[in-house]
Amino acid sequence: MSSADLERGGGAKARRTNNNYYVDNSGQEWTSWLIPLFVAANVAVFVVAMYINDCPKNHRGSEGACMARFLGRFSFQPLKENPLFGPSSSTLDKLGALEWYKVVYQHQGWRLLSCIWLHAGVIHLVANMLSLVFIGIRLEQQFGFMRVGMLYLLSGFGGSILSSLFIQNNISVGASGALFGLLGAMLSELITNWTVYSKKAAALFTLIFIIAINLAVGILPHVDNFAHIGGFLTGFLLGFVFLPQPQFGWAENQYLPANSSVRSKYKPYQYVLGVLSLVLLIVGFTVGLVMLFKGENGNNHCSWCHYLSCVPTSQWNCGNR
């Protein structure tokens, strides 16, 4: 998002308003270190995956020769097997890819989180890490590492739950659910902190357009849009809980009449949105996890939902999702 749309007023000090309250535009800015650490961790995990994959030694299929064989054991699987320039699906599965059967029947619930650190290939990794840098660093500078870190992990977890409920015949990897959670949090942050922004409508429509385009890409085959949707909804609700900002600072006592009281830093609607969102999150996570570990298939409860992740056309089919 452009700084012109989402800027909070720079380093201006609090100023007096007509009703003796002060608008707080100073805003502390943190140094971003967690997002770069997340990027480094994702890259490191990919390097480890390629080392373990060791295509020249382990590939015995009929899809062709390993790609970029000059990389030795770091060479990629044949393009027919993995067009994203990465390891085999068996390597990803070994390292913790999201697989419904193993989560439910082999009690490997840790895969709901481990999968967000794995990527299918170089293209997948680069696209996600660029998005994480552009979205995450700005959020961390504005809100700090604790809140953004919780947003990232919980959104990835929420995306994994929804993905497991609807995609049960394929493995899934990637940080996309967590990234969509950050996008969702940006949207709810804009809503809950509406009064501190200039050019509100332009910022809202721009953000909605970006989110819509990214979700639309998810209807292509081999893209786990359920992880995107689950992560987005989780991040959107968490934004109301983690990211509300004071609309007014404390007024100086000498400017207040003797019989007046100081208004709260937060507006009532921010509290209402935060509480409702927290309740919805708890209910959603509880219902989702209960359905998942009971072995439920979400498609049995929603006959059209599979179209949210893949729309078949004359150019491709969606396979058995």
Side-chain angles (χ1 to χ4, degrees), residues 44-321:
V45 170
F46 183 76
V47 171
V48 170
M50 293 305 303
Y51 181 85
I52 294 173
N53 186 67
D54 195 359
C55 182
K57 178 180 178 181
N58 298 320
H59 177 62
R60 296 290 184 272
S62 58
E63 297 86 358
C66 300
M67 294 295 299
R69 290 185 65 90
F70 63 89
L71 294 175
R73 68 183 299 149
F74 292 96
S75 59
F76 310 118
Q77 294 297 117
L79 289 183
K80 287 185 179 180
E81 181 180 345
N82 186 345
L84 298 178
F85 298 97
S88 66
S89 57
S90 61
T91 298
L92 293 172
D93 186 32
K94 182 189 305 182
L95 292 177
L98 185 61
E99 185 178 352
W100 172 79
Y101 183 86
K102 291 184 177 179
V103 169
V104 176
Y105 294 107
Q106 296 184 8
H107 311 294
Q108 297 180 10
W110 50 271
R111 289 177 178 268
L112 294 169
L113 280 175
S114 63
C115 66
I116 69 176
W117 303 98
L118 293 166
H119 287 83
V122 172
I123 296 174
H124 190 202
L125 176 69
V126 170
N128 276 351
M129 293 305 100
L130 286 176
S131 299
L132 178 56
V133 167
F134 285 121
I135 299 171
I137 286 182
R138 177 67 181 271
L139 282 175
E140 187 181 355
Q141 288 174 340
Q142 193 169 349
F143 296 102
F145 74 92
M146 182 66 72
R147 285 184 279 184
V148 172
M150 292 294 290
L151 272 170
Y152 185 87
L153 295 174
L154 288 174
S155 296
F157 183 65
S160 294
I161 293 174
L162 194 65
S163 174
S164 296
L165 287 172
F166 286 93
I167 300 179
Q168 301 185 349
N169 297 315
N170 298 305
I171 65 170
S172 179
V173 294
S176 300
L179 293 173
F180 270 84
L182 297 183
L183 280 175
M186 287 179 67
L187 180 59
S188 55
E189 190 272 330
L190 175 60
I191 294 171
T192 193
N193 300 323
W194 185 255
T195 60
V196 303
Y197 285 100
S198 61
K199 300 181 181 179
K200 301 174 178 62
L204 179 63
F205 288 130
T206 302
L207 187 54
I208 290 176
F209 177 76
I210 292 172
I211 292 169
I213 291 296
N214 280 277
L215 287 174
V217 172
I219 66 174
L220 297 173
H222 310 300
V223 178
D224 185 359
N225 213 25
F226 285 112
H228 298 172
I229 295 169
F232 174 81
L233 293 176
T234 302
F236 180 71
L237 293 175
L238 284 172
F240 290 118
V241 178
F242 288 158
L243 305 183
Q245 294 290 291
Q247 304 295 293
F248 298 95
W250 298 105
E252 294 184 10
N253 291 334
Q254 63 264 31
Y255 292 112
L256 292 174
N259 61 348
S260 65
S261 59
V262 178
R263 188 180 299 175
S264 171
K265 284 187 173 184
Y266 295 92
K267 289 193 172 183
Y269 78 85
Q270 291 179 300
Y271 289 112
V272 172
L273 287 173
V275 171
L276 287 177
S277 297
L278 184 60
V279 171
L280 287 173
L281 274 169
I282 293 172
V283 172
F285 272 27
T286 301
V287 172
L289 287 170
V290 168
M291 290 181 63
L292 175 60
F293 287 105
K294 285 178 63 178
E296 295 277 352
N297 187 328
N299 294 291
N300 295 334
H301 302 278
C302 180
S303 60
W304 55 269
C305 283
H306 61 279
Y307 291 117
L308 294 174
S309 187
C310 184
V311 177
T313 70
S314 59
Q315 301 299 316
W316 66 73
N317 63 75
C318 296
N320 186 7
R321 306 290 287 182

